Amino acid sequence: MPLSSEVFEDALDLQIGLLEAVAPTATSYPYPALQVLGREETRTFRSLVLENSFLRVVVVPALGGRIVSMTDKRTGSEILSRGTSLLPIAGGARGAVIQEGIQFTIDGESRLNASGPIDAAMVEAEEGEPAGIWLAETCGGTGISFHLHLTLPPDRAELAIEARVFNRTNDEIPCNGGFSLFLGEGDARQFGEGTSWYSAERNVGIAAFSAASFEGATFADGSLRVCRFEHARYLAPRQVDTWSLTLVPLSGLGTLSGLSTNGGVHLGKEVLRVVTTIERPGHKLLIHTSDGQTLEAPVDLRPDLVLDIPLSDLPSKPIAMVLMGPDREEVLRVDSTEPIALGLHPQATNLERRAIDLPTELKKGTFDLRTRHLAHTLLGSKAMAEGDFAGASESLEQALLYNAEDPLVWWAKAACTRLSGGETAERPELLNAHYLAPLEPILRAEAFLSQSQNMGKEPSGLVAPLDEVPENFIEVACLLIEHGLLVDATRWIDEALRHRDMHMLRYLLAYCYLVGTKMTAEAAEQVAAAARKPLAPPYPWRAVEIRALNAVVDRLGKSERISDLLDLARHLG
């Protein structure tokens, strides 16, 4: 029977602790703060499941894209300690955190939306490509967005994760991507390039490997954290930080004596146990003993079985082991070298956001290698706002020569083709943008804007998936306004309001009326409609939102509601 991997949707019942959203604080903004209520209830969540013959991984998009379960099917062992309960505790930037499962981080700590909904999509297995899951979020208040691609190879007992972390802004932003793995009590160690945790009590463990050479591996209070850097570094404007991580489950070993990307080993006085990630026929096992002997035996290893070899009859104590491949290459080694025990490294503190000092004249910036791509990008945005779509396309093409990883520039260039009346059926720029960031919300908006405007008054099914994370409606509107596409922004907001009536959408629409079409009466109607809604998130934090609110006040006069929003952004943002 051929090996395969699959992905499917399932319903998952979880006992969760209830939280109450309260007024935002300086650390939680632009999200409300959270309070633990001390009560629990069972709720059913949509889960995405990745599974092959060796491993089963369960992800819940509504809980920040958290991996809530990882089952090693070879031994029937649950690697994570979740059980069926996810109970928050007081702490963290928002006042409550869930220390369960595996979650993605951007600064070594829980994301502000680590317990909220994010975008997710399944990718069915195809010939030569394993099944996978895409997870994505535009992280409110940070200017950072990320895409995670989780895949499960059909023939390997490991979860591969590719991360793409994107600075969406024109400023430098501190960032330190990684993962927090909430595992419980156990032994965390560094074996060469592998970071591992193993619980002798539960007889399960996990190992993390990355070609990015994680500098910030720490273990404290049952939480294993792996970060790109020991201290946060700055992402340049529109920079994409791409890296990968492989998580290897371990179970049935007793303890962990050695580790590599190929598997794990327990070497004791009484027994040798080896677990491998893939099938390894025709290998040789070499055991070195304390009296200087080397014993050799042929072995065939399978990823679905733990190799268990008694050592009680050896004449002396085994002190080292080497697993050799058919060509005598070294696959696994255990020797007397003591692995590094992981502790808690000091985290970077007092990180200040620093702005790029761009030259006054953007054209001068094109001669500076550090700012060249950004200068061309901003020149392209300026030309788009002026309706010079041919000139904009030329500037954006230059920007892509220096930074081809920016999905927003690929989108903007595709938008120029549409807005100049060009053929929209096949735009390679959109294919590139989808490849780099398949769940980027502006791409769904571009698909909507490319359609005829005579679509009736019912909400568009094409736009409906964004309703899972409604702040994406605002993110798209702000991007369109940033590029000076006020007609597109007006059409987009009108559609977005059919899905979610949010006060910031109405204020942005009022801004578009005032600046784009001078429709003062219509703008005033939007401001009045927004004022009738309760003061609630999402709160403004983007520069475009603040600019729009100030412009509305300048043109239409003071508003108590807008003053409250600006005060929140000023004092907490």
Side-chain angles (χ1 to χ4, degrees), residues 167 169 171-173 234-240 356 370 373:
N167 176 1
T169 76
D171 296 328
E172 286 186 320
I173 295 179
Y234 282 87
L235 283 179
R238 311 298 280 270
Q239 179 183 347
V240 179
I356 289 288
R370 295 171 300 174
H373 73 278

Side-chain angles (χ1 to χ4, degrees), residues 346-362:
Q347 299 296 316
T349 58
N350 299 322
L351 292 171
E352 297 180 357
R353 180 171 176 149
R354 298 180 286 132
I356 289 288
D357 184 17
L358 288 175
T360 304
E361 297 179 21
L362 292 176

Side-chain angles (χ1 to χ4, degrees), residues 447-523:
F448 167 78
L449 294 169
S450 299
Q451 292 187 333
S452 169
Q453 296 193 41
N454 301 319
M455 298 173 59
K457 296 183 179 181
E458 293 300 316
S460 168
L462 185 62
V463 175
L466 293 187
D467 201 30
E468 295 289 329
V469 187
E471 192 169 344
N472 282 333
F473 291 123
I474 298 174
E475 176 68 20
V476 169
C478 289
L479 279 173
L480 293 170
I481 293 172
E482 279 183 347
H483 287 78
L485 307 181
L486 298 184
V487 174
D488 277 356
T490 300
R491 182 184 170 196
W492 171 256
I493 297 172
D494 181 64
E495 173 62 31
L497 287 169
R498 301 180 189 185
H499 299 264
R500 284 292 180 105
D501 191 347
M502 295 182 284
H503 56 72
M504 272 313 306
L505 284 175
R506 293 195 176 275
Y507 289 128
L508 291 170
L509 183 56
Y511 173 80
C512 291
Y513 284 149
L514 291 171
V515 175
T517 59
K518 314 301 181 185
M519 297 169 63
T520 305
E522 288 78 1

Side-chain angles (χ1 to χ4, degrees), residues 184-235:
E185 293 303 315
D187 187 31
R189 296 186 179 275
Q190 194 83 34
F191 289 90
E193 296 181 356
T195 301
S196 72
W197 170 89
Y198 204 93
S199 168
E201 179 182 357
R202 293 176 49 219
N203 201 11
V204 298
I206 195 168
F209 298 92
S210 176
S213 300
F214 280 79
E215 299 175 3
T218 65
F219 182 70
D221 300 325
S223 172
L224 176 63
R225 299 181 181 181
V226 287
C227 296
R228 289 275 280 121
F229 313 110
E230 186 172 348
H231 304 290
R233 297 187 183 181
Y234 282 87
L235 283 179

Side-chain angles (χ1 to χ4, degrees), residues 268 309 434:
I309 301 177
H434 277 284

Side-chain angles (χ1 to χ4, degrees), residues 6-10 46-50 61 119-125 130-135 149-150 439:
E6 61 176 339
V7 60
F8 56 92
E9 187 173 314
D10 200 4
R46 167 181 173 252
S47 66
L48 303 182
V49 182
L50 269 176
D119 292 318
M122 296 184 294
V123 181
E124 300 289 344
I133 297 171
W134 278 105
L135 301 171
H149 191 202
L150 283 59
L439 298 183

